[in-house]
Amino acid sequence: MRFLYFLLLILVLSLKLQAATCTVTVSANWTSGSTWSCGSVPSCNDIIIIPSGYTVTINSSVDLTGGGCTGTKINIYGVLFFSGNASRLDVVATSSVNIYTGGKITTDQPGNNSQKINIGNGSSEWTSGNGNLSGPWTITNGSSTSNPTLPIQLIEFKGVCVSSGIHLDWSTASERINDHFLVEKSTNGVDWQFVAKIQGNGTTSTMHRYSYLDTKLNAELTYYRLSQVDLTGEKTIYKSIDMNCEANSNGQMLLYPNPASTQLNVLLMHNSPATAGYIKVYNMIGELVIELPVTLTKGSNSFVLPVELQSGTYNVEFSSENSILFNKKLIILN
């Protein structure tokens, strides 16, 4: 009997060690491993994050239960979309689904109860008959409530490139036993490096703003992640953002949204006098698919491009008569 207990304990500990943080990196189906930063479909012990601007689709039965499962935490800043009558999500009783401000659970079957979220045994905590659900909201075993008692109510987390580095800003609407924040960064969205520890404000219902300047830049696309640690030591991982502050004496190009679907905004910060040229979009085999003649003035220049393109990766550039001044990667999702 003791031997069986020992084996069970080893199994549980092994499962805990395998737990990971899986963040959506591309809007796609839940059951596709390429959707997730962890490289595979999330398991029952994972922390699952759907960032703002991304949509994950469930169109079948997703079962995150089973022996040794200690609980799943799903944090939604973007959209969790249930499609088709067979779509459902099952997690164990100790799990939670946290929808933050701006996040949503949506359904294409609002007139029936075929789509479900089940936490533990018993009746479903959400069905498609309840319709779309917007944050802030928390779903736990036997409960679905607005104004969730999450450790913090995060309003936003953003970054901007400045001459001395990357300036990160975030703000909270409320905090509960919040000890401190952790800022981390990664070049691949999987392996995270400590950047800074910022003191929190305990328990408060007043809005607070925080900032940090990272002067140690990577000469490539860098992801920044914000986490929060409460007074009991429990860590909650919130959203991540991506930054690219390539040194460019000409200025900077920003693309948003990225990934895009039908429309792309191109913001060009130009440091030189008026320059005539073209915004060009190329597919991955080098074919020119969009060309727009524009003239840049010194300062901020904004343009809108319709992008009726197939899903895939593209290169966007601004070129003058003599050279390519800006170049960025664009992802199209339809």
Side-chain angles (χ1 to χ4, degrees), residues 76 98-103 133-138 145-148 150 153:
I76 303 173
N98 306 305
I99 312 172
Y100 293 83
T101 300
L133 196 59
S134 298
W137 203 277
T138 284
T145 58
S146 61
N147 300 315
L150 299 172
Q153 291 296 308

Side-chain angles (χ1 to χ4, degrees), residues 200-216:
N201 278 281
T203 299
T204 174
S205 57
T206 304
M207 185 178 75
H208 288 274
R209 298 184 182 277
Y210 301 85
S211 64
Y212 181 78
L213 177 64
D214 183 16
T215 58
K216 298 179 180 179

Side-chain angles (χ1 to χ4, degrees), residues 128-144:
S128 49
N130 300 129
N132 295 339
L133 196 59
S134 298
W137 203 277
T138 284
I139 304 174
T140 56
N141 185 26
S143 175
S144 178

Side-chain angles (χ1 to χ4, degrees), residues 199-265:
Q199 192 64 37
N201 278 281
T203 299
T204 174
S205 57
T206 304
M207 185 178 75
H208 288 274
R209 298 184 182 277
Y210 301 85
S211 64
Y212 181 78
L213 177 64
D214 183 16
T215 58
K216 298 179 180 179
L217 299 184
N218 299 313
E220 56 187 319
L221 177 67
T222 302
Y223 300 91
Y224 285 87
R225 184 172 77 178
L226 185 67
S227 302
Q228 178 271 335
V229 180
D230 67 22
L231 293 173
T232 68
E234 182 175 354
K235 179 180 178 181
T236 301
I237 299 174
Y238 289 82
K239 66 186 297 184
S240 61
I241 58 175
D242 58 88
M243 300 294 299
N244 194 341
C245 297
E246 300 170 293
N248 189 335
S249 60
N250 298 308
Q252 187 178 13
M253 171 190 279
L254 299 175
L255 307 177
Y256 62 95
N258 189 8
S261 56
T262 59
Q263 181 175 293
L264 174 68
N265 297 278

